[in-house]
Amino acid sequence: MNRSDLKKFIKRAALAQMPDVFDRIDLQNAYVAGVPEQPTRRVRPFNYAFALKAMLVLILATVTGVFVYDQLQPEPPVVLALETEAEIYGFQMVSATSLLSQITATDLALTVKFGDHDTTTAPIQESETLITDQIEKITDYLNTMEVMLAEDDETVYEVTPSDVDGYQWKLTFTTVDLLGNVLTYTIYYNEVLDPEDASRRLIDGVMTMSGDEYSLSGTVTTEGDTVRTRFIAARGDDSIEITDLTDADGQKYQYDVTKDGQPYESLHMQLSREDGALVATIDHATATSSAEYRFRRLADGSGFEITYRYEKNGETETGRMGVTVEYDEVSEGYNYQYDVEAQTGSHQGHSSHSGGRTSKTNGSSDHGMNTSFTL
């Protein structure tokens, strides 16, 4: 028997032994396992309101975090242009006295020069440069800024015991003018505690400038770490009061000028340092105009750069002035020469002016104003 026959024999034997049960199987009720159904996934609609709320919450949390972080950071220290007691006292006393002397000298010179003469000049179109009518005032400021804004290595404030009877202290201010002359101003003063307020000190003193003597008085008030000063320079019925308004934005002072016993003008000055140089920004306003002037002495000491913004009767002019000192053979003195580049709306103008410079060494002055225009 071969292999094929053997397989057939085994199959027949197996079938013979298999019980016949097919007729007993109920195929109608037999359970057939089917393919399990996949659960239906419900797609939720996009909730724009919820998303917007979440976004707002996230933004609020971010802003709040930044705010809290900033609040926790230590505030940067205020960088003062003047730091020592000698600098703070000296700058205020000398600048007030100098400005008061300039205002007095200007009025006196104009009275002598023009009092009995025809002052009519050719009309000038204001649209060329609005700043023309401010040259006299700028010249007053510049005469003071020339004294106060020399380079650090040319400026020395020093307080020593007084060598004059009746005064405790001697404050010496040394500087250099635009002609290279070394200038020295001396203030003698007393400083005592206020018997009515232990946080305040009282100051009284005297200073001579341009041959005239000016009285000085002031208060220095200490409130925690804050020190506030107030000084007055006076001569006769003319005076200037300086109030310290220094805050986190910088060193600031207000100058209130009184002439002949009546309010004359008020101006603000802010001091800063740029590349080590002391820079002063002066602003003042009237009923019809406002002005801001930024004075910076040139690094080589030859002159000044003044940038300005001047508004008058609704018009605004911005510009730059280059200032030099030139000798005038007619008056036998030195004048400031202004070269102005101005922008008023779409109009560009150029003008030249001459302003009277007070001698810084002997007290004489040559005042007046000459003006020329080119377009």
Side-chain angles (χ1 to χ4, degrees):
M1 182 180 293
N2 56 27
R3 183 182 295 272
S4 177
D5 293 336
L6 179 61
K7 287 181 178 181
K8 291 178 180 180
F9 175 78
I10 294 174
K11 183 177 180 180
R12 285 195 301 268
L15 290 174
Q17 296 296 322
M18 182 180 298
D20 185 9
V21 295
F22 285 102
D23 57 347
R24 286 182 288 174
I25 297 176
D26 187 1
L27 296 177
Q28 297 295 324
N29 295 320
Y31 172 77
V32 179
V35 178
E37 293 183 2
Q38 295 294 326
T40 303
R41 183 177 181 183
R42 184 181 177 185
V43 178
R44 295 179 178 271
F46 184 74
N47 192 328
Y48 288 96
F50 178 79
L52 180 59
K53 290 180 180 179
M55 182 176 66
L56 291 176
V57 170
L58 179 61
I59 292 174
L60 180 60
T62 302
V63 172
T64 303
V66 172
F67 176 77
V68 171
Y69 175 80
D70 288 341
Q71 292 299 309
L72 293 177
Q73 298 305 304
E75 292 187 3
V78 178
V79 178
L80 299 179
L82 306 173
E83 296 181 339
T84 68
E85 183 176 282
E87 291 175 333
I88 293 172
Y89 287 13
F91 185 91
Q92 294 178 74
M93 291 181 181
V94 177
S95 65
T97 303
S98 176
L99 183 57
L100 188 59
S101 70
Q102 299 307 324
I103 292 173
T104 303
T106 299
D107 291 346
L108 177 62
L110 290 176
T111 300
V112 172
K113 185 175 181 63
F114 301 124
D116 300 321
H117 299 280
D118 181 11
T119 60
T120 302
T121 59
I124 298 172
Q125 296 295 324
E126 287 190 350
S127 60
E128 293 178 352
T129 52
L130 297 178
I131 202 65
T132 298
D133 60 10
Q134 293 292 298
I135 294 300
E136 183 181 315
K137 185 176 294 293
I138 294 171
T139 298
D140 285 340
Y141 298 157
L142 184 57
N143 269 293
T144 296
M145 294 301 99
E146 180 181 350
V147 172
M148 306 309 304
L149 300 185
E151 293 292 316
D152 277 354
D153 58 358
E154 298 176 335
T155 303
V156 178
Y157 292 90
E158 185 179 21
V159 175
T160 58
S162 173
D163 54 3
V164 173
D165 291 340
Y167 295 101
Q168 299 171 304
W169 304 105
K170 173 183 177 181
L171 193 158
T172 304
F173 170 54
T174 304
T175 187
V176 177
D177 67 12
L178 292 177
L179 299 178
N181 299 311
V182 177
L183 311 175
T184 300
Y185 300 93
T186 303
I187 298 170
Y188 292 96
Y189 68 98
N190 296 312
E191 184 173 12
V192 298
L193 284 176
D194 185 343
E196 299 180 357
D197 188 346
S199 67
R200 184 164 58 197
R201 288 169 285 163
L202 305 178
I203 292 178
D204 69 274
V206 65
M207 176 180 176
T208 300
M209 180 173 283
S210 300
D212 297 320
E213 186 174 275
Y214 295 82
S215 65
L216 301 169
S217 61
T219 61
V220 180
T221 304
T222 303
E223 301 174 356
D225 294 333
T226 303
V227 178
R228 294 293 185 191
T229 59
R230 185 186 298 267
F231 289 98
I232 298 176
R235 182 171 181 267
D237 293 330
D238 302 334
S239 66
I240 291 184
E241 180 177 9
I242 306 179
T243 304
D244 184 357
L245 301 178
T246 299
D247 57 20
D249 294 329
Q251 211 148 24
K252 303 174 184 177
Y253 299 105
Q254 176 173 314
Y255 292 67
D256 293 307
V257 185
T258 298
K259 273 189 60 62
D260 300 323
Q262 299 297 319
Y264 180 72
E265 74 170 341
S266 292
L267 59 96
H268 289 81
M269 181 187 299
Q270 179 162 347
L271 300 177
S272 59
R273 287 199 178 273
E274 298 180 9
D275 300 327
L278 188 60
V279 178
T281 300
I282 295 176
D283 64 84
H284 72 87
T286 67
T288 59
S289 67
S290 64
E292 180 179 281
Y293 310 106
R294 179 179 176 277
F295 294 83
R296 177 166 180 166
R297 190 161 170 170
L298 300 180
D300 60 5
S302 62
F304 269 82
E305 178 184 71
I306 304 173
T307 54
Y308 71 90
R309 178 184 179 88
Y310 181 50
E311 297 183 13
K312 180 180 179 182
N313 297 327
E315 287 191 279
T316 301
E317 179 176 283
T318 58
R320 174 194 172 278
M321 303 181 185
V323 185
T324 57
V325 174
E326 296 184 11
Y327 184 75
D328 179 26
E329 294 183 355
V330 176
S331 63
E332 297 182 347
Y334 289 91
N335 290 329
Y336 294 121
Q337 298 299 323
Y338 298 88
D339 186 63
V340 183
E341 298 289 345
Q343 181 81 36
T344 308
S346 60
H347 174 77
Q348 292 183 337
H350 172 238
S351 61
S352 299
H353 312 272
S354 178
R357 177 183 178 272
T358 301
S359 173
K360 305 298 183 280
T361 55
N362 59 21
S364 65
S365 61
D366 300 296
H367 283 270
M369 183 173 68
N370 301 316
T371 306
S372 64
F373 289 94
T374 58
L375 291 178

